[in-house]
Amino acid sequence: MAQAKDENFPVASRVLRPEHRRHLLAVYGFARLVDDIGDEATGDRLAQLDEVEKDVRRIYDGAAPRLEVLRPLRATVAQTRMPADPLVALIDANRQDQRVRRYETYADLVDYCKLSADPVGRIVLYVFGRANEQRFVWSDQICTALQIVEHLQDVAEDLGKDRIYLPTEDMARFGVAEADLTAGSAGPHLRKLVAFEAGRAANLLRAGAPLIDSLRGRERLAVAGFAAGGRAALAAIAAVDHDVLGHRPRPGKAGLLRELVRVLARKR
């Protein structure tokens, strides 16, 4: 829970209403547990993820969860009327990480993002009391974009876990082999591939921008900050000429603030 303040989405931000902050922190505890099991747990990770899902189901059956970190989630589910689907999807994403190490096509990657990223935005909308089908469409576009950006930032780190989120067909198209991802810096072909995938993410962020205009007050500012983080990360990647192996392209506070102003002003 101490990591919450460092996340891309400011779950502990003072911008949020106290009740929203409390609910998002409850969800964060659940999501952090699931990700840690999927990435770091020893033993049978799938069995451990099954146990977490059983605890989630207990909440919806009106029972108290056994895991302490999930207990605050019970009040959140009751007060926001959040369905189980987005929570279970996040568990399924980590199950998929245990089985799938490569993604053949961009469509395959987007399907993965439907489990690993899109549910986060939907959860936020439930917490804000702003959930509807049109907002889900826009939110999914933003969240998929943010997941792609994160994958671009973490190419080397993911490879260390034997995971590659650059679509195989795109790697072939740009003449990039898996061995190229082990270099100390990105070669010209890999840089072109990263720029291509970054362009896809930028297009998705633009497509999802109406979500921000559909919100008001603190909720609008919070979601704008979410989108601005993605834009700033893309700018950081471009600033190192798309060399995601030789650099860790992370945006600074000035870049985040600049992009937040642009997002709120709808400057593209």
Side-chain angles (χ1 to χ4, degrees), residues 51-62:
E51 289 303 314
V52 176
E53 181 175 350
K54 289 177 184 177
D55 235 14
V56 170
R57 300 294 184 186
R58 287 186 185 98
I59 293 173
Y60 287 89
D61 289 340

Side-chain angles (χ1 to χ4, degrees), residues 141-173:
Q141 290 167 325
I142 291 174
C143 290
T144 293
L146 294 175
Q147 182 74 87
I148 292 171
V149 172
E150 184 176 351
H151 289 159
L152 295 178
Q153 292 175 304
D154 295 339
V155 168
E157 180 180 336
D158 290 334
L159 186 63
K161 301 173 184 175
D162 190 29
R163 294 174 186 165
I164 297 177
Y165 295 102
L166 297 168
T168 302
E169 66 175 8
D170 293 344
M171 291 175 64
R173 173 184 172 186

Side-chain angles (χ1 to χ4, degrees), residues 230-249:
R231 289 172 53 122
L234 287 172
I237 292 171
V240 298
D241 194 20
H242 303 93
D243 181 6
V244 294
L245 300 182
H247 304 271
R248 290 185 62 82

